[in-house]
Amino acid sequence: MDYKKEIVFLNGQYIGREKAWISPDDRGFVFSDGVYEVLSSYNGKVFEAWRHIQRLDGSLSGLNISGFDPADILEISERLIDANNLASLDSIIYIQVTRGAAPRSHAVDQAVMTPTVYACVKRFLRPLRKQKEGVGVILLDDERWARCNIKSVSLLPNILAKQKAADSGHEEAVLVRDGVITEGSASSFAAVFSGTLTTHPESNRILGSITRSVVIDLCKSAGIEVEERPIKKEELAYAEEMMIMSTTKEILPVTAYDSVIVSDGRPGKVTMRLQALLNDYIDDNCSKKA
Ligand code: PDD
């Protein structure tokens, strides 16, 4: 996409990126006081919009940010896809809602705040090679706050962990809190034990990942056992398979963690089956004709 011709959404308007300016008093800039969503679209069709709307609703109410209807993200996404000539391609939509701009003060009168809403879209090149070959991860301490279920733009522990992973040649940092695997720095995590997909239960310790929810639903309809329970770090030694999941990664097999090879070092059967089921589900819901 030609960056100079890119159309973005800012506070109700679709405008050229070079015209999109926000106040230096914006609380998103000053305090990270905001939330976001990352959605995908396939063939121009937004994937599982209702799940993202529900999650954004939860994030906004979790931070008591009002004045934006989360249901609007579907129309914003669709209009951005069209405006940027991505209707026949796959794309990733980023939407951020902050509490708005006000002179710096930790507490504000919520009644006078107008949220700042920004959204943009870029072409999504699905990571097909990594999906086929698998990736390596490192384990790091989970240093995040106690409300990880809120998709806050305040991502310092996440980006520091991801940077450590990237600097050491790994795809992702998988986080460990109190001896338990929570999730990746920007993805959810699952392991397979005796054929059962096992993943941390939804709680304030993980983000309610859309991909993870879709995968759990796909397991249930395909007869793959699912167990939502904390996985102890030591248990990883016995895992048959591991995977990380997100909107931008879909499902990536994890073939090594901290230089320990998982099983035979190749993507596992359950992981590959889930990738196929997810592809079919995407085709069914977002085909050119759908
Ligand atoms: N991140 N956990 C964390 C901490 C995440 O940041 C993400 C996604 C996920 C996966 O959620 P989903 O399946 O809804 O994408 C789990 C996005 C992609 C990001 O921050 O760019």
Side-chain angles (χ1 to χ4, degrees), residues 158-175:
N158 305 62
I159 61 169
L160 293 177
K162 184 69 146 197
Q163 193 67 51
K164 270 194 191 159
D167 291 347
S168 56
H170 297 88
E171 175 70 19
E172 177 62 302
V174 170
L175 306 176

Side-chain angles (χ1 to χ4, degrees), residues 111-248:
V112 302
M113 296 303 295
T114 304
T116 303
V117 185
Y118 168 73
C120 60
V121 65
K122 64 174 186 199
R123 183 153 178 214
F124 178 26
L125 298 172
R126 299 168 74 179
L128 300 177
R129 188 160 165 201
K130 287 177 183 172
Q131 289 176 1
K132 194 161 169 238
E133 293 177 0
V135 296
V137 302
I138 48 169
L139 302 184
L140 288 180
D141 285 341
D142 192 338
E143 296 178 337
R144 298 174 300 161
W145 70 331
R147 299 176 75 189
C148 302
N149 51 324
I150 294 175
K151 201 162 171 62
S152 156
V153 293
S154 183
L155 286 171
L156 265 181
N158 305 62
I159 61 169
L160 293 177
K162 184 69 146 197
Q163 193 67 51
K164 270 194 191 159
D167 291 347
S168 56
H170 297 88
E171 175 70 19
E172 177 62 302
V174 170
L175 306 176
V176 184
R177 188 181 292 220
D178 298 335
V180 159
I181 309 296
T182 50
E183 59 181 340
S185 74
S187 57
S188 52
F189 176 87
V192 178
F193 297 99
S194 308
T196 298
L197 185 93
T198 311
T199 180
H200 196 287
E202 285 218 20
S203 77
N204 59 342
R205 293 193 159 199
I206 63 165
L207 181 73
S209 152
I210 306 303
T211 320
R212 174 186 172 285
S213 304
V214 170
V215 164
I216 288 174
D217 288 353
L218 290 172
C219 283
K220 288 182 180 158
S221 24
I224 300 169
E225 295 286 327
V226 177
E227 200 177 351
E228 292 184 68
R229 64 158 180 90
I231 302 167
K232 293 203 187 82
K233 185 178 163 184
E234 298 74 49
E235 286 182 75
L236 292 184
Y238 312 108
E240 290 137 26
E241 302 178 32
M242 292 180 203
M243 68 198 83
I244 50 175
M245 297 166 272
S246 79
T247 298
T248 51

